[in-house]
Amino acid sequence: MSPKESKKSILDLSRRRALLFDGAMGTMLFSYGLPFGTPPELWNLSQPEIVLKIHKKYIQAGADVIQTNTFGASSLKLKKSGIEKKMDKINKTAVKIARKACPDGKYVAGNIGPTGEFLEPVGKVKYKDLKKAFSEQAEILRSAGIDLFSVETMYDLREALAAIEGVREVSSLPLFICMTFEKKSKGYFTLMGDEVSSSLKKLKQAGADVVGANCTLGSKEMIKLASVMKKSTKLPIIVQPNAGMPKLVKGKTVYLQRPASFANDVLKMIKLGVHFAGGCCGTTPEFIRMVKKGLMTLEYKPLGLS
Amino acid sequence: MERKLKNFLEECYNAVLEGDKQKAEKLATEAVKSGYDSYLVIEKGLVQGIKKLGEKWEQGSCFLPELVLGAEAVKAGISILQEPILKSKAGRKNLPRVIIGTIEGDIHDIGKTLVATMLSANGFEVIDLGVDVKSDNFVKMAKKYEPRFLCLSSLLTTTMQNEIRVIEGLKKANLRKKLKVMVGGAPASLSWAKEIGADLYAENAISAVKVAQREIGHESKRK
């Protein structure tokens, strides 16, 4: 599939039916024994068969899009673990693994997460440094053969814009971007105080094709946010909620939400007009399978796509 | 309170609300020169500003940037105002000491640094050990610096188990009863604190300050 065709097809396809992203990668890797403190991206190199297995499970569960294990694979983020020299190899290998798991008609998204650095004046990095880091990572992902970009968990609008600009310097592939919003008494805001409607507007202006939200909120709360987003933009919307909120029971992390209740919430959002849905922390292939099952029985009426 | 001083304190308060570090430094220098009571300027000026920002943050009407810049302004002001205080040994002893760090295996530093900043902006002496702090190192530093509080931060549910090791280490080193252990970070909770035998839990940076101050209040009452 050439990049141009893929751009056309995934965005066009979403006019006909809602498309499913995969669920969590990080929490899955932990369940396969990723040791404490090891950056999950390192397993692209040391345990590629496990990363491959997780991708395949999501495909089998019915995901249309799988995301590369490169959330923390920007040079700035890898530097925190002292492995920035492996950036090229980590990203390239991640795409290779995902491609291997991805049959025809499904998509590989190059996943990009925040750098973990704060922009001036709160932190020390400059806008151009962020943009450069994103652009570098995007170029490796692009040349390794992804179909689209999925930028996630952005808690600072300025960093999100740097990511879009960085990606757009090297590629015109479909660009999905998710901010992460917290619920406050006056509505939904990022950690840095960015509000939903103006954020989505600016993301669009900067060149995003699909905008939305992931992480922080469980699926129930995400329904309310989805309706706010729906009112705020005409772009297609993506949601990737957590599997409820994590609880610690006798020293073990437990996500108490059941896949069926997650799926139920996601289907409500699709009925609201959300075009793309997946899962964030705590979700597993079973969650995606349940959403898929529900989707098959749902009459899909795409709403408000311009 | 004389009008001049009152206006001066209000200027300090505003410098913090505006997150203006340079202004806070200028005012602190002026205060030292004019011979104002340093504690008064800290308590009734700078700290009032950060308290106000804390309230606004809890209400959702200000966000991380305002809070961080405000706290930086307070810290900058305090470090100038404290110079004369710290010169006397008695003054140094008065500052409640805190050791803080992110637990072994976890490199998240945003929340931890915010707690450290807010504590020091509220008059605590903070020793920040950074991120991915080995359990042994927490114990070693607690032995060396004898803090009133040991604050453990975690974001990853998978590594927060290491907090148990710190508490066990403190027991072995006979330090457990000499300090209060406070835990925090997104996955922590009051029940988690109880489960691992920590003394205190704080939901966020603002509450960490409140919890520590309340604890000091209790201790002084018991004395």
Side-chain angles (χ1 to χ4, degrees), chain B residues 73-118:
Chain B
V74 176
K75 260 167 63 176
I78 286 182
S79 77
I80 292 169
L81 288 160
Q82 272 178 348
E83 273 168 32
I85 304 171
L86 288 175
K87 277 180 188 152
S88 69
K89 244 189 174 172
R92 199 178 310 151
K93 224 178 173 181
N94 278 336
L95 289 177
R97 186 180 281 162
V98 177
I99 289 183
I100 188 168
T102 303
I103 203 77
E104 182 172 356
D106 193 336
I107 57 162
H108 291 92
D109 57 0
I110 297 168
K112 182 268 304 162
T113 305
L114 191 59
V115 175
T117 308
M118 291 305 290

Side-chain angles (χ1 to χ4, degrees), chain B residues 33-171:
Chain B
K33 266 192 204 153
S34 316
Y36 288 143
D37 177 357
S38 291
Y39 276 129
L40 191 73
V41 177
I42 294 173
E43 278 297 319
K44 302 284 176 204
L46 300 171
V47 168
Q48 294 307 313
I50 201 70
K51 271 191 183 154
K52 180 71 190 172
L53 282 176
E55 282 168 23
K56 289 175 78 174
W57 187 71
E58 282 181 324
Q59 291 159 4
S61 57
C62 94
F63 296 92
L64 191 98
E66 292 90 334
L67 200 59
V68 170
L69 296 179
E72 289 294 333
V74 176
K75 260 167 63 176
I78 286 182
S79 77
I80 292 169
L81 288 160
Q82 272 178 348
E83 273 168 32
I85 304 171
L86 288 175
K87 277 180 188 152
S88 69
K89 244 189 174 172
R92 199 178 310 151
K93 224 178 173 181
N94 278 336
L95 289 177
R97 186 180 281 162
V98 177
I99 289 183
I100 188 168
T102 303
I103 203 77
E104 182 172 356
D106 193 336
I107 57 162
H108 291 92
D109 57 0
I110 297 168
K112 182 268 304 162
T113 305
L114 191 59
V115 175
T117 308
M118 291 305 290
L119 282 168
S120 71
N122 280 278
F124 289 79
E125 182 197 346
V126 180
I127 301 171
D128 187 343
L129 302 181
V131 298
D132 188 17
V133 180
K134 304 269 174 289
S135 309
D136 295 348
N137 202 28
F138 273 116
V139 178
K140 210 168 84 192
M141 298 307 265
K143 198 168 197 169
K144 187 169 171 193
Y145 290 105
E146 301 180 343
R148 295 271 285 274
F149 298 95
L150 183 67
C151 299
L152 307 175
S153 174
S154 60
L155 186 69
L156 304 175
T157 49
T158 41
T159 49
M160 65 194 296
Q161 322 294 332
N162 289 332
E163 293 179 355
I164 301 169
R165 285 168 46 201
V166 175
I167 289 176
E168 278 165 6
L170 290 172
K171 282 181 193 159

Side-chain angles (χ1 to χ4, degrees), chain A residues 151 153-154 176-182 187-190 194-204 210-215 217-241 265-266 268-270 272-278 303-305:
Chain A
V151 179
T153 328
M154 288 286 159
F176 291 57
I177 185 155
C178 286
M179 306 288 292
T180 192
F181 295 101
E182 296 173 55
Y188 298 91
F189 294 89
T190 67
D194 308 302
E195 163 279 341
V196 179
S197 168
S198 60
S199 295
L200 300 191
K201 198 171 286 168
K202 285 183 182 141
L203 296 175
K204 183 183 177 191
V210 178
V211 293
N214 75 306
C215 210
L217 304 176
S219 57
K220 204 137 255 120
E221 195 58 46
M222 191 67 91
I223 300 175
K224 293 177 208 152
L225 174 58
S227 67
V228 176
M229 292 196 293
K230 193 67 209 167
K231 283 181 203 134
S232 308
T233 184
K234 283 188 173 151
L235 283 183
I237 289 172
I238 174 168
V239 292
Q240 301 178 84
D265 292 340
V266 169
K268 279 184 192 158
M269 289 188 259
I270 288 169
L272 278 172
V274 161
H275 300 84
F276 299 90
L303 302 166
L305 255 190

